[in-house]
Amino acid sequence: MLFSSIINYKINEKKIIFCNFILIKKKIFNLKLKKKLYKRMLNIKQLIFIFFNINYWKKINFKNLSLIITIVKNNIISNIDGIFKLLIISKGYKRNNEINLNNIFNNLYNLIWTNLGCYEVNNFIKLNLIKNNFTIESIDKIPFLSKFFIPKNIRISNTNRVRLGSFISKGTTIMSEGYVNFNTYIGYNCMIEGRVSAGVFIDNNTDIGGSASIMGTLSGGGKNIISIGKNCLLGANSGIGISLGDNCIIEAGLYITSGVKIFLLLNNKFIIIKAKKLSFINNLIFYRNSINSRIECCKNTINLNTINLILHKN
């Protein structure tokens, strides 16, 4: 699928140092162009079609404007292309893990993100901008979500802990210690106080407790995408490397990876099973036996809809 955006920008030394996406077209359809095209004025859609077909779709510059075109299945080719792809996810035009973000850190370079825009590092030093009372927010390849997009009806206590490329649904609260990486999806009315790593999908009404961690696709998880169902609870300082179904609970302080041996209570008897075999199964509670320290799992009978109702009203 092809996406386009018209951005305005300011330049210094022929390098874009600040840009703002002002228009996104969700779908671009092939147009039938008439003969003697050179005699006709072209609109934006026709320009996109022509440049795409002659394989010159990276960036088209006009005076104080730039037409950016990106293809979701292609590799990232520049910082602007990468930021645009992440913005597409944050706006909900494509779900996380549906856009090609392979080798994103190899194809982007660090920028200095300030309260007035972003600057290339060398440009920033040459212009001696550090004396101009700028507030440097980060030196990174990916900006905060709030630099380019603010979702409706959400609460974020610390905006610099939510990266562009995360999709946050209505009613969700992200507390000060919560962290949401790019290429993530968070459903309605969730409470995030832990870490949501890249690639993770979280469904509606789920709580991620303080300092809890979800294994992502960037470090340790590989291509294993973690999904958490509706009405789940990860206790404080817990963590998972498996997917959860609906109405599941992980006890505080308990970290479960795919190879961990679980004592599953089935028909009043415990059987030993690898944790990954329990992925996507609903109504489970995982806990550590305080007497023998083994990790056990049984059916969850707790109604999580009644937990922290006030906190979920953001």
Side-chain angles (χ1 to χ4, degrees):
M1 183 176 290
L2 187 66
F3 287 82
S4 70
S5 175
I6 297 177
I7 67 170
N8 63 348
Y9 61 90
K10 300 176 183 177
I11 62 173
N12 185 281
E13 298 182 2
K14 298 181 180 180
K15 295 179 181 179
I16 295 178
I17 59 176
F18 176 73
C19 67
N20 181 35
F21 294 91
I22 58 177
L23 173 66
I24 291 181
K25 300 285 188 180
K26 185 173 182 182
K27 293 182 180 179
I28 302 300
F29 297 99
N30 292 348
L31 304 175
K32 293 182 179 179
L33 302 180
K34 296 181 179 180
K35 295 181 179 179
K36 297 182 180 180
L37 188 63
Y38 60 90
K39 292 185 178 181
R40 297 179 180 273
M41 295 295 292
L42 302 181
N43 61 32
I44 292 298
K45 286 187 177 181
Q46 290 171 324
L47 278 172
I48 293 171
F49 179 79
I50 291 173
F51 281 106
F52 174 66
N53 277 275
I54 64 175
N55 201 29
Y56 186 76
W57 56 272
K58 179 179 178 181
K59 184 169 61 179
I60 306 164
N61 290 316
F62 303 95
K63 184 177 181 180
N64 297 325
L65 289 174
S66 183
L67 175 63
I68 302 299
I69 305 169
T70 189
I71 303 174
V72 296
K73 67 180 181 180
N74 286 8
N75 289 332
I76 290 173
I77 55 177
S78 68
N79 277 69
I80 301 299
D81 181 51
I83 291 171
F84 185 35
K85 281 189 174 182
L86 296 175
L87 183 61
I88 289 170
I89 296 174
S90 290
K91 284 182 171 286
Y93 293 157
K94 299 289 286 185
R95 284 283 183 93
N96 67 318
N97 302 310
E98 290 183 347
I99 291 182
N100 183 357
L101 299 177
N102 293 338
N103 300 316
I104 183 171
F105 291 110
N106 294 333
N107 296 322
L108 303 185
Y109 54 86
N110 285 326
L111 294 172
I112 295 180
W113 298 91
T114 76
N115 57 318
L116 298 179
C118 64
Y119 296 81
E120 293 185 351
V121 176
N122 292 335
N123 238 14
F124 193 85
I125 296 174
K126 288 180 182 178
L127 296 172
N128 205 17
L129 294 174
I130 199 167
K131 293 182 179 180
N132 294 341
N133 295 321
F134 279 58
T135 300
I136 298 178
E137 299 170 340
S138 66
I139 304 174
D140 202 354
K141 300 178 179 183
I142 300 175
F144 312 147
L145 174 67
S146 57
K147 297 295 291 184
F148 287 94
F149 179 64
I150 300 177
K152 295 180 179 179
N153 300 322
I154 66 169
R155 179 158 61 100
I156 302 177
S157 297
N158 192 349
T159 56
N160 66 2
R161 295 182 64 82
V162 181
R163 269 178 150 181
L164 184 68
S166 57
F167 179 83
I168 315 295
S169 300
K170 294 179 180 179
T172 287
T173 295
I174 302 173
M175 299 300 290
S176 297
E177 294 305 313
Y179 177 81
V180 183
N181 212 339
F182 69 95
N183 194 31
T184 52
Y185 176 95
I186 298 179
Y188 295 101
N189 302 320
C190 291
M191 171 65 68
I192 308 297
E193 297 182 83
R195 178 184 176 86
V196 181
S197 300
V200 171
F201 176 94
I202 298 177
D203 215 331
N204 304 335
N205 302 307
T206 285
D207 279 18
I208 309 299
S211 299
S213 178
I214 307 168
M215 186 178 291
T217 54
L218 292 180
S219 59
K223 295 182 179 180
N224 183 27
I225 297 171
I226 302 299
S227 172
I228 300 178
K230 300 180 179 68
N231 305 313
C232 290
L233 172 63
L234 268 64
N237 296 304
S238 65
I240 57 169
I242 64 171
S243 293
L244 299 178
D246 298 338
N247 306 305
C248 291
I249 297 176
I250 306 292
E251 182 188 59
L254 180 61
Y255 204 116
I256 299 177
T257 56
S258 60
V260 167
K261 298 294 179 65
I262 304 291
F263 286 78
L264 175 65
L265 183 61
L266 187 65
N267 297 325
N268 296 320
K269 293 183 180 181
F270 282 105
I271 63 171
I272 301 176
I273 188 172
K274 282 189 176 181
K276 65 180 180 180
K277 298 292 185 180
L278 299 175
S279 292
F280 300 106
I281 297 178
N282 299 333
N283 303 306
L284 295 178
I285 180 168
F286 297 83
Y287 57 94
R288 187 179 295 279
N289 189 308
S290 60
I291 298 176
N292 53 32
S293 296
R294 69 187 189 185
I295 300 174
E296 298 178 353
C297 176
C298 65
K299 184 177 180 180
N300 175 34
T301 59
I302 300 174
N303 183 7
L304 292 179
N305 287 327
T306 61
I307 298 178
N308 292 338
L309 289 178
I310 296 177
L311 290 178
H312 277 259
K313 292 181 180 180
N314 71 348

mmCIF file of all heavy atoms in Angstrom, residues 7 48 53-54 96 140 183 221 282 308:
data_model
loop_
_atom_site.group_PDB
_atom_site.id
_atom_site.type_symbol
_atom_site.label_atom_id
_atom_site.label_comp_id
_atom_site.label_asym_id
_atom_site.label_seq_id
_atom_site.Cartn_x
_atom_site.Cartn_y
_atom_site.Cartn_z
ATOM 1 N N ILE A 7 4.654 17.772 3.570
ATOM 2 C CA ILE A 7 5.211 18.346 4.794
ATOM 3 C C ILE A 7 5.770 19.739 4.498
ATOM 4 O O ILE A 7 6.200 20.028 3.383
ATOM 5 C CB ILE A 7 6.324 17.467 5.400
ATOM 6 C CG1 ILE A 7 7.551 17.427 4.480
ATOM 7 C CG2 ILE A 7 5.841 16.064 5.662
ATOM 8 C CD1 ILE A 7 8.757 16.805 5.102
ATOM 9 N N ILE A 48 2.018 11.746 -7.817
ATOM 10 C CA ILE A 48 2.420 10.543 -7.085
ATOM 11 C C ILE A 48 2.467 9.342 -8.016
ATOM 12 O O ILE A 48 3.413 8.560 -8.009
ATOM 13 C CB ILE A 48 1.450 10.287 -5.912
ATOM 14 C CG1 ILE A 48 1.583 11.395 -4.875
ATOM 15 C CG2 ILE A 48 1.710 8.936 -5.270
ATOM 16 C CD1 ILE A 48 0.532 11.346 -3.804
ATOM 17 N N ASN A 53 5.741 5.375 -10.767
ATOM 18 C CA ASN A 53 5.961 4.487 -11.903
ATOM 19 C C ASN A 53 7.335 4.643 -12.542
ATOM 20 O O ASN A 53 7.814 3.731 -13.206
ATOM 21 C CB ASN A 53 4.862 4.688 -12.952
ATOM 22 C CG ASN A 53 3.603 3.908 -12.620
ATOM 23 O OD1 ASN A 53 3.487 2.743 -12.938
ATOM 24 N ND2 ASN A 53 2.662 4.565 -11.956
ATOM 25 N N ILE A 54 7.968 5.793 -12.346
ATOM 26 C CA ILE A 54 9.329 5.936 -12.852
ATOM 27 C C ILE A 54 10.341 5.678 -11.734
ATOM 28 O O ILE A 54 11.519 5.996 -11.866
ATOM 29 C CB ILE A 54 9.554 7.330 -13.470
ATOM 30 C CG1 ILE A 54 9.416 8.433 -12.422
ATOM 31 C CG2 ILE A 54 8.613 7.552 -14.649
ATOM 32 C CD1 ILE A 54 9.737 9.827 -12.954
ATOM 33 N N ASN A 96 0.273 -2.177 14.204
ATOM 34 C CA ASN A 96 1.676 -2.518 14.434
ATOM 35 C C ASN A 96 1.980 -3.877 13.819
ATOM 36 O O ASN A 96 1.090 -4.729 13.693
ATOM 37 C CB ASN A 96 2.003 -2.514 15.928
ATOM 38 C CG ASN A 96 1.293 -3.618 16.690
ATOM 39 O OD1 ASN A 96 0.121 -3.892 16.469
ATOM 40 N ND2 ASN A 96 2.012 -4.246 17.610
ATOM 41 N N ASP A 140 18.141 11.165 19.552
ATOM 42 C CA ASP A 140 17.642 9.837 19.226
ATOM 43 C C ASP A 140 17.208 9.800 17.765
ATOM 44 O O ASP A 140 17.091 10.831 17.101
ATOM 45 C CB ASP A 140 16.452 9.498 20.136
ATOM 46 C CG ASP A 140 16.203 7.999 20.249
ATOM 47 O OD1 ASP A 140 16.866 7.224 19.538
ATOM 48 O OD2 ASP A 140 15.335 7.606 21.037
ATOM 49 N N ASN A 183 5.993 0.764 17.293
ATOM 50 C CA ASN A 183 5.433 -0.457 16.713
ATOM 51 C C ASN A 183 4.656 -1.266 17.751
ATOM 52 O O ASN A 183 4.782 -2.481 17.857
ATOM 53 C CB ASN A 183 6.540 -1.314 16.084
ATOM 54 C CG ASN A 183 5.973 -2.407 15.178
ATOM 55 O OD1 ASN A 183 4.924 -2.243 14.568
ATOM 56 N ND2 ASN A 183 6.666 -3.528 15.105
ATOM 57 N N GLY A 221 13.343 -11.252 22.050
ATOM 58 C CA GLY A 221 12.124 -11.847 21.513
ATOM 59 C C GLY A 221 12.228 -12.322 20.084
ATOM 60 O O GLY A 221 11.462 -13.176 19.646
ATOM 61 N N ASN A 282 -7.353 -18.600 27.595
ATOM 62 C CA ASN A 282 -8.067 -17.651 28.463
ATOM 63 C C ASN A 282 -8.145 -18.137 29.910
ATOM 64 O O ASN A 282 -8.007 -19.325 30.198
ATOM 65 C CB ASN A 282 -9.489 -17.433 27.940
ATOM 66 C CG ASN A 282 -9.510 -16.842 26.541
ATOM 67 O OD1 ASN A 282 -8.580 -16.148 26.131
ATOM 68 N ND2 ASN A 282 -10.574 -17.110 25.801
ATOM 69 N N ASN A 308 -9.550 -1.503 40.222
ATOM 70 C CA ASN A 308 -9.073 -0.165 39.859
ATOM 71 C C ASN A 308 -10.004 0.574 38.907
ATOM 72 O O ASN A 308 -9.579 1.182 37.922
ATOM 73 C CB ASN A 308 -7.662 -0.257 39.221
ATOM 74 C CG ASN A 308 -6.619 -0.685 40.219
ATOM 75 O OD1 ASN A 308 -6.818 -0.533 41.420
ATOM 76 N ND2 ASN A 308 -5.529 -1.222 39.739
#
